[in-house]
Amino acid sequence: MFKRIDHIAFTVKDREKSIAFYEKHFGFHQYYEHTVPVPAIEKIVYLKLGDTVLELIHMPDGPQLTGYHFCLESDDFDADYTRLQEAGIAVETEPHPAGARESRETGWRRVVFKGPDGESIEFRG
């Protein structure tokens, strides 16, 4: 049976800009990059944060993302929110209470920021 999501993948138009964005603002680090035999894709890059893996599919002429998001868990919601806001990252949805799916989430809030290719980046905590 399945046990977890291995990675989340999405297209990016500027590989280096996206790598820098996720490393600087969210603490990911690049650990693998390769080319693929698909003409529209220049490279695929993997970034890691703990056990979370993002696969950035570098397609300079690819489609823009819509209706998509991923969510990170924050251990200091206020500090992370302030840091990202001060860095000038656009807020898509202002902080608001998040429903507690389990007791440890009681009192949590959620917020959604915009990534460099229009991806929605939620975090909760």
Side-chain angles (χ1 to χ4, degrees):
M1 187 47 81
F2 300 109
K3 60 182 186 176
R4 68 182 187 93
I5 293 175
D6 181 74
H7 64 274
I8 303 294
F10 53 93
T11 59
V12 299
K13 297 198 180 292
D14 183 329
R15 178 175 83 251
E16 296 303 322
K17 179 179 178 181
S18 292
I19 292 167
F21 176 82
Y22 283 102
E23 288 182 338
K24 177 179 180 181
H25 300 296
F26 293 93
F28 282 85
H29 68 277
Q30 180 181 347
Y31 73 98
Y32 185 68
E33 178 177 292
H34 68 101
T35 57
V36 294
V38 177
I41 300 174
E42 289 195 11
K43 289 202 181 271
I44 294 180
V45 178
Y46 292 88
L47 306 177
K48 191 177 270 193
L49 174 68
D51 289 335
T52 301
V53 176
L54 297 182
E55 177 183 335
L56 307 181
I57 303 167
H58 185 204
M59 295 178 69
D61 299 319
Q64 180 159 1
L65 297 171
T66 59
Y68 165 84
H69 83 275
F70 64 90
C71 181
L72 301 170
E73 183 177 317
S74 171
D75 61 3
D76 190 339
F77 186 94
D78 291 326
D80 288 334
Y81 173 75
T82 300
R83 182 176 49 77
L84 295 173
Q85 193 174 45
E86 288 176 352
I89 300 171
V91 176
E92 179 181 315
T93 304
E94 292 292 335
H96 62 278
R101 300 168 295 191
E102 52 188 72
S103 61
R104 74 181 186 88
E105 298 176 352
T106 300
W108 278 18
R109 290 171 290 158
R110 68 181 291 273
V111 64
V112 182
F113 283 88
K114 275 294 194 194
D117 285 277
E119 66 272 25
S120 297
I121 307 160
E122 175 185 352
F123 72 82
R124 297 167 47 99

